[in-house]
Amino acid sequence: MSTAQPELTRGARSRPQPAEPAGPVGPRIRSGARQPRRNPLHLALALLLSWLVPAGLVAVHLGVLLLPLLVLAVAVVIRTGGVLLDRLVIAGLIVAGSVLTLGLVYSLWPWGLAPVPTTGVMFSLISVGGWLARRRPRLPLRFRGSDLLVLGTVAVVGRYLVHPLMGETAAERVALFATSEDRLAHFSFFSGIQGVGGFNFLHQEAAKAYLIPPSEVTYPQGSHFLLAWVDALVHSSADPGAMVYTVNRYFLYLLVCYALFCGGLVWAARWIGGPRLRGWRCTAVCATVGAIMLATNYLDLLAHGFDSTFIGLFFVTLTLAVAVRPAMGVGEFLLAGAAGMVTVTYAYNIYGAFAGVALFGALVVHRRKFAGRWVWVLAALVVTLGVAALPSALSLTGDLDVASASNMNGPSVSADNSVLIGGGLLGLLAAVMPRNRRTATGQAHLAVLLGTGALLSAFALYQLHTIQRYSYYFHKMTAVGVVVSLVSLGAVGVVLQGQYRGSARTLPRRAGELVVSVLTVATALSLFAGVQWGFLSTEDKRADWYANPLVAWGRGEWRSDMGPKGAEALQLPGVTGPVVFLVANDDYKNLKATWLAALLNRRGGDMAALYDMHPHIGIGGPSPKEEDYRKSVGKLKEFIAKLPAAPTIVTADRSVGDRIKHDLAAQGVKVTVLSDPQNLWTEPWKRTFPGG
């Protein structure tokens, strides 16, 4: 079992990186080293396969395999990471950044997100890049024991996330999908990208049919674009097909992304620790980060529909790790750093400031690494900043008031202050310890800690000055502080006592190391995840583990009020115009039902007129209050006047539906009114959910 690639730089006394065959932006070739020849036949064969493989897999509806093949293709060309998992993670980041960058082209060409041309171009670029750099395919088939903790975190989190979906139909799973209006808004961006064949901000007029203006240009769309492109691969077509199944696939992608976010934090902490972090110390770091993510309240980000937030945090995690410890050649660092900056800003643009500070710190601290290559570095920096800033720059052309938006109110998920503050201070303590302070990695880590703290403090002071309190976006930004605190544990592990030394002989020593590592995992789960191993759990008070958000999700407690058959009830065959669903005497339920129906019928743009249903229209169920009924009908008339065509109104109660039809007709309002046309709205519509 091997360790990761050795540390590349240690302050002024840097050890040179082992030379690798590379192109003009890669590591220098050792004098006298023989470089592989560029054989044109090899390039021609690679280019041919770059198109034949996607075409063949899509033809047999196995386009989903193109995603791991792309990651693998990048992994065999780049030279970073001494173990397979490290190489694949960096390759995955590069692929994500490439998709978003090339997405600017995909959005304008005639094929949209079609899987064959998009992946064919990417495979071709990889082939040309590897050929020009004289890179022979190479992959480190080596592993570390801590790989199990990284992958185990993903597996355990994923198991709890998918458990409530098991045995349910795609329509029934909507009850977990539609837990908030934020989720519906995010799906509208995803649906719009599929509908227009690219970024919404590059097809602003066409995108208005799918989402609420001016969000087609003002809201970051990177996460939605990535998932839309992945869906084209999974579906082996740019046409998403039936929307209820598209909703189901989108939701499953979100569950995968959240599990990867949790595992990515474990990996990033280990990566920052580097090859000096090994044995039980590595186990302690990985187990602690994993345990915290099993019990964290950040599962609420998923439950409340903050899709872009946790996907953005995932890319922040990977970007910070690369910036703190760029254990790779200059070419790989430029690719990974650029990919990180683009993915972060496209997924959630306010996080771009943190990624930018981290990468700037890397350029300063690791400046010896880039000696003689600053032309390439500066060129890459200019291109990266231009691509990364494009969507945010375009958002300023829309109806966006940056000052008021930065102080807006809204539901938020507060950071765990004990992790944010305690973890940050612990990371700072580790960064100033001599063992870390003398290394370039330790200095870059210190720069990230200080830079993150400075950005958070500056924004906090701004909000206190302008609105005298912390609001929505401050809580969003503190989430990055939690990420920094968690990955900083990798530096903490480095300053702990060295390897277990229970015996001079190899076998007993390894056995002792294994025992200590197992005890370390058990300790971390007990201290940070609330696992009590069957003890102190009584009928009156369950163990803390059973009360954490992830386990509650696994029990299905976040199921929303859409209920079984909800999605089926919202699909009306033959109805092509706007639809207003009044399913209960509850304005918020009516809003969500109407919005979900609009999305399922590919008419999300209708919500531009109907979004303000909440808190105005609270009728549709049996026996509404007379005052509520009259106010609701008056508002309903106003909303209908803004719709592009006469709507169909669907109510859950027939008598209320007949009365609405009569009263609107008396006022000259043309509508079609249906009352529970499929007899599907029963008790499930009355259920509630946490936070709903």
Side-chain angles (χ1 to χ4, degrees):
M1 197 175 302
S2 65
T3 59
Q5 183 173 321
E7 197 75 36
L8 294 182
T9 53
R10 295 177 178 269
R13 298 183 179 180
S14 302
R15 289 190 295 174
Q17 181 189 8
E20 295 283 355
V25 296
R28 289 172 175 166
I29 304 300
R30 290 174 297 180
S31 178
R34 184 177 180 181
Q35 302 181 42
R37 293 179 56 193
R38 294 193 184 106
N39 191 327
L41 293 179
H42 292 169
L43 177 60
L45 178 61
L47 291 174
L48 180 63
L49 292 176
S50 295
W51 292 89
L52 288 180
V53 171
L57 290 176
V58 170
V60 295
H61 301 288
L62 291 176
V64 65
L65 297 179
L66 292 172
L67 181 57
L69 285 177
L70 276 170
V71 174
L72 188 63
V74 173
V76 300
V77 172
I78 63 175
R79 299 291 185 262
T80 181
V83 295
L84 179 61
L85 182 60
D86 294 345
R87 178 74 64 85
L88 293 177
V89 170
I90 301 297
L93 177 62
I94 293 174
V95 168
S98 301
V99 171
L100 292 177
T101 302
L102 291 171
L104 300 173
V105 177
Y106 299 161
S107 300
L108 300 177
W109 71 6
W111 302 285
L113 300 184
V116 173
T118 56
T119 57
V121 167
M122 294 183 68
F123 278 121
S124 298
L125 291 175
I126 296 169
S127 300
V128 172
W131 185 77
L132 290 176
R134 295 186 173 94
R135 295 288 178 89
R136 291 175 177 172
R138 188 194 307 172
L139 203 62
L141 300 179
R142 298 188 294 273
F143 307 90
R144 294 181 65 177
S146 53
D147 289 352
L148 297 176
L149 293 173
V150 177
L151 300 177
T153 300
V154 176
V156 172
V157 172
R159 182 266 179 193
Y160 279 97
L161 292 179
V162 302
H163 184 263
L165 305 180
M166 304 303 293
E168 294 193 342
T169 66
E172 292 169 342
R173 291 176 179 181
V174 171
L176 279 166
F177 165 83
T179 50
S180 72
E181 61 182 277
D182 286 82
R183 172 67 40 71
L184 303 179
H186 284 297
F187 183 77
S188 72
F189 298 129
F190 172 85
S191 177
I193 289 169
Q194 290 184 320
V196 303
F199 284 112
N200 293 312
F201 61 78
L202 294 178
H203 299 274
Q204 295 180 27
E205 287 302 316
K208 292 177 181 178
Y210 299 93
L211 42 82
I212 302 175
S215 58
E216 74 278 358
V217 66
T218 59
Y219 196 86
Q221 303 160 21
S223 61
H224 316 99
F225 188 93
L226 281 173
L227 296 184
W229 176 74
V230 168
D231 190 60
L233 302 187
V234 172
H235 198 57
S236 292
S237 171
D239 181 359
M243 288 303 289
V244 68
Y245 296 108
T246 305
V247 167
N248 180 66
R249 293 196 303 273
Y250 173 78
F251 187 49
L252 292 176
Y253 302 151
L254 293 179
L255 302 186
V256 172
C257 287
Y258 185 81
L260 290 176
F261 167 47
C262 296
L265 283 165
V266 180
W267 175 84
R270 187 187 77 173
W271 174 267
I272 287 177
R276 296 180 297 160
L277 182 66
R278 55 173 55 196
W280 74 269
R281 298 179 302 158
C282 184
T283 301
V285 168
C286 294
T288 298
V289 176
I292 290 174
M293 292 310 297
L294 291 178
T296 181
N297 66 321
Y298 274 7
L299 190 278
D300 292 354
L301 293 172
L302 173 65
H304 285 297
F306 298 160
D307 302 349
S308 291
T309 303
F310 69 80
I311 294 177
L313 290 172
F314 173 51
F315 289 123
V316 167
T317 300
L318 303 185
T319 305
L320 292 180
V322 169
V324 171
R325 181 173 167 263
M328 57 194 75
V330 174
E332 281 81 357
F333 175 74
L334 295 180
L335 285 173
M341 190 68 192
V342 170
T343 53
V344 170
T345 52
Y346 276 48
Y348 209 70
N349 51 9
I350 64 172
Y351 293 162
F354 297 94
V357 166
L359 292 171
F360 177 76
L363 291 176
V364 173
V365 172
H366 296 279
R367 58 190 178 278
R368 295 179 183 275
K369 181 183 183 68
F370 309 111
R373 301 174 177 84
W374 282 105
V375 172
W376 289 99
V377 172
L378 293 177
L381 183 63
V382 170
V383 173
T384 298
L385 292 178
V387 173
L390 178 62
S392 298
L394 288 176
S395 69
L396 298 177
T397 66
D399 186 16
L400 177 65
D401 185 342
V402 177
S404 61
S406 62
N407 290 327
M408 66 177 290
N409 292 315
S412 58
V413 178
S414 299
D416 186 332
N417 289 332
S418 61
V419 175
L420 173 65
I421 300 174
L425 291 174
L426 190 60
L428 185 61
L429 178 63
V432 299
M433 295 291 285
R435 186 176 297 184
N436 284 327
R437 191 178 67 241
R438 296 192 184 102
T439 68
T441 294
Q443 295 164 14
H445 176 223
L446 180 60
V448 167
L449 286 168
L450 296 178
T452 301
L455 288 173
L456 290 177
S457 299
F459 192 72
L461 291 174
Y462 169 76
Q463 290 207 323
L464 290 176
H465 174 72
T466 54
I467 58 176
Q468 291 76 52
R469 57 185 172 80
Y470 304 130
S471 68
Y472 180 77
Y473 278 113
F474 177 75
H475 296 299
K476 293 280 190 177
M477 294 178 73
T478 55
V480 179
V482 173
V483 166
V484 172
S485 296
L486 289 175
V487 300
S488 293
L489 294 180
V492 175
V494 171
V495 300
L496 297 177
Q497 184 180 356
Q499 291 185 326
Y500 173 80
R501 301 182 183 278
S503 171
R505 292 189 295 178
T506 300
L507 185 59
R509 185 171 67 251
R510 289 183 176 177
E513 185 79 42
L514 178 61
V515 171
V516 173
S517 296
V518 171
L519 291 175
T520 301
V521 173
T523 302
L525 291 174
S526 298
L527 288 175
F528 304 108
V531 177
Q532 298 180 19
W533 312 106
F535 293 98
L536 303 179
S537 180
T538 65
E539 186 174 335
D540 297 328
K541 186 181 187 314
R542 302 294 297 275
D544 291 342
W545 168 256
Y546 296 97
N548 81 55
L550 179 63
V551 177
W553 174 284
R555 292 194 296 267
E557 294 182 10
W558 277 99
R559 189 176 301 276
S560 77
D561 49 7
M562 291 298 158
K565 307 292 185 181
E568 295 178 16
L570 296 174
Q571 298 181 96
L572 300 177
V575 176
T576 58
V579 181
V580 178
F581 276 80
L582 305 179
V583 301
N585 299 327
D586 183 301
D587 52 4
Y588 192 57
K589 290 183 181 180
N590 291 338
L591 169 65
K592 289 205 301 180
T594 300
W595 199 346
L596 182 58
L599 295 174
L600 291 173
N601 290 283
R602 294 186 173 90
R603 296 188 59 94
D606 291 341
M607 295 308 298
L610 298 173
Y611 179 73
D612 290 332
M613 286 178 61
H614 171 66
H616 298 295
I617 302 181
I619 58 174
S623 305
K625 295 180 180 180
E626 184 63 22
E627 181 181 2
D628 293 340
Y629 175 83
R630 293 188 178 279
K631 290 181 179 179
S632 296
V633 170
K635 281 292 183 180
L636 189 59
K637 179 182 177 181
E638 295 179 16
F639 293 144
I640 291 173
K642 300 177 183 178
L643 289 170
T648 297
I649 298 177
V650 184
T651 67
D653 184 82
R654 185 171 299 278
S655 62
V656 173
D658 292 341
R659 185 181 179 187
I660 292 174
K661 180 178 181 180
H662 176 271
D663 291 348
L664 289 177
Q667 300 179 53
V669 180
K670 295 182 179 181
V671 295
T672 300
V673 179
L674 304 175
S675 297
D676 198 1
Q678 301 182 46
N679 194 31
L680 292 173
W681 287 326
T682 53
E683 189 64 25
W685 285 96
K686 301 178 182 179
R687 293 192 291 188
T688 60
F689 65 100

